[in-house]
Amino acid sequence: MTVIQVVFFLVAAFTTAAAFLVVLAKNIVHCAIALVFTFFGVAALYVLLDAEFLAAVQVLLYVGGITILLLFAIMLTSRISARGVRVMNEQVGMSAVVVFAIFALLAIASLKGFALVGSPPPASYATASLGRLLLTTYVLPFEAVSILLLAAMVGAIILARREREKD
Amino acid sequence: MLLSYLPILILVLLAAGFALATLFLSSALGPRRPSKDKLSTYECGIDPVGSARERFSVKFYLVAMLFIIFDIEIVFLYPWAVILNSLGLFGLVEMFFFLGILLIGLLYVWKKGGLEWTT
């Protein structure tokens, strides 16, 4: 086993353990904190896959942004953090079957369907070529993104305003 | 390539190790003489006011949403900054157009009082 493989299995174990904590923790704030570690583990996996830009996005948006949003959403929901969350219900057996079936399907698909085709491009080059595509070939979608973000801002204001009127 | 991430790994391990060691040492070595005042919630030294479990204002959520929107903007700035030199004026104008549209959004939020904390 090479060093990379050892690192991969350590990171994968860490990520899976954190993900288990997300679904099994009784306190919903603990779930959100565990999600930070899951996202961070996924970012480490991206680094191992030479996807440096994705790793940066993962840390910037998911670790830094989405979890903050989740924590605020928990705090906004009245009295949810004081109450314990019901982790299991009567459908646990059924969902276990579904989960293992999907896992088997994905395992078979990735073992049979994918093969390595040469070494990946260096990461710095990957980010540069991504930027080049974004600003030349796909410049219209790129500018459309700013319109989308503008719409998101307007939507956020309108939602917050309605909520404030209710208070 | 991956070797350049070694300092980050060392930093993460050091930070986690420091936090765990501090927690462990203080629980193993620290004396414990609890009193009513010591066990009460620490709120900057004054007596706690109200419940900690009350519903937070929606203003926090608005700020978080705006934060994510501008976070996404930064994600697009990153690959642009890497290749800015080779793009020349064209890339600069494109990005200013992008930022300009988001600036309109910021002005809208500002105008609607989304940045004001007291209403």
Side-chain angles (χ1 to χ4, degrees), chain B residues 8-58:
Chain B
I8 295 178
L9 184 69
I10 293 170
L11 179 71
V12 166
L13 290 180
L14 272 179
F18 180 75
L20 289 176
T22 314
L23 282 174
F24 172 74
L25 284 176
S26 75
S27 75
L29 301 175
R32 227 158 311 196
R33 279 186 295 275
S35 68
K36 191 171 164 288
D37 286 334
K38 278 190 194 170
L39 289 176
S40 79
T41 314
Y42 183 72
E43 230 171 62
C44 303
I46 51 171
D47 289 334
V49 182
S51 162
R53 301 272 183 263
E54 68 185 25
R55 200 166 171 269
F56 276 64
S57 167
V58 74

Side-chain angles (χ1 to χ4, degrees), chain B residues 85-96:
Chain B
N85 272 339
S86 60
L87 276 176
L89 191 65
F90 178 63
L92 201 66
V93 169
E94 270 178 339
M95 187 44 84
F96 270 92

